[in-house]
């Protein structure tokens, strides 16, 4: 079991940038696929981005491709989500997730991940 702690959320204006961090402990970080999901009020949790275990190959939701970047730092057991050109529709609680077993084709499914952080709030508003 791996423990995940997110940080970096906050209130920003439209067009701004923000970087979220997720520190993992208790597992072999390199062997985990790491992902970011988000959940807005009244909506289901949705996939944002993932970095596949070992290779680090990435996937993005269409809504964030070109604006968000996920990266894994294996030396620091940390996954980052760099967000730019933020818009009000990006407002949500952002969750970090980890799985040592998820297959490539299932990375976008929340139920494929057994380890979750507590979430960090991102609010984009003028």
């Amino acid at each position: 079991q791996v423990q995940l702690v997110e940080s970096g959320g906050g209130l920003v204006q439209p067009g701004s940038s923000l970087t979220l961090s997720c520190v993992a402990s208790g597992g072999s970080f390199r062997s985990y696929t790491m992902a970011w999901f988000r959940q807005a009020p009244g909506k289901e949790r949705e996939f944002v981005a993932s970095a596949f275990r070992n290779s680090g190959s990435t996937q993005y939701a269409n809504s964030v491709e070109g604006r968000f970047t996920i990266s894994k730092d294996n030396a620091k057991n940390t996954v980052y989500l760099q967000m730019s050109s933020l818009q009000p529709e990006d407002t949500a609680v952002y969750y970090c997730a980890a799985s040592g077993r998820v297959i490539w084709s299932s990375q976008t499914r929340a139920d494929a991940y057994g380890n979750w952080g507590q979430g960090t709030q991102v609010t984009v508003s003028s």
Side-chain angles (χ1 to χ4, degrees):
Q1 197 79 355
V2 61
Q3 290 76 46
L4 305 172
V5 179
E6 304 101 330
S7 62
L11 171 63
V12 298
Q13 293 187 338
S16 298
S17 298
L18 198 63
T19 297
L20 305 182
S21 301
C22 173
V23 179
S25 60
S28 177
F29 185 73
R30 183 182 294 274
S31 66
Y32 279 89
T33 294
M34 302 299 296
W36 289 95
F37 287 77
R38 67 186 181 185
Q39 188 165 18
K43 295 188 176 181
E44 293 187 356
R45 192 168 297 190
E46 66 172 359
F47 172 79
V48 175
S50 62
F52 201 66
R53 59 179 179 272
N54 298 319
S55 71
S57 297
T58 58
Q59 285 193 28
Y60 295 93
N62 290 337
S63 59
V64 307
E65 181 125 37
R67 299 189 299 124
F68 291 10
T69 301
I70 187 171
S71 59
K72 285 181 72 180
D73 186 334
N74 292 326
K76 295 182 178 181
N77 285 3
T78 302
V79 62
Y80 303 97
L81 184 68
Q82 297 173 278
M83 305 182 292
S84 63
S85 301
L86 284 163
Q87 299 301 317
E89 51 265 35
D90 294 314
T91 296
V93 177
Y94 283 72
Y95 296 92
C96 177
S99 173
R101 300 180 179 182
V102 63
I103 60 175
W104 178 261
S105 59
S106 297
Q107 288 181 81
T108 62
R109 294 176 50 176
D111 61 2
Y113 295 84
N115 302 281
W116 292 86
Q118 81 287 351
T120 185
Q121 176 71 47
V122 173
T123 303
V124 185
S125 175
S126 55

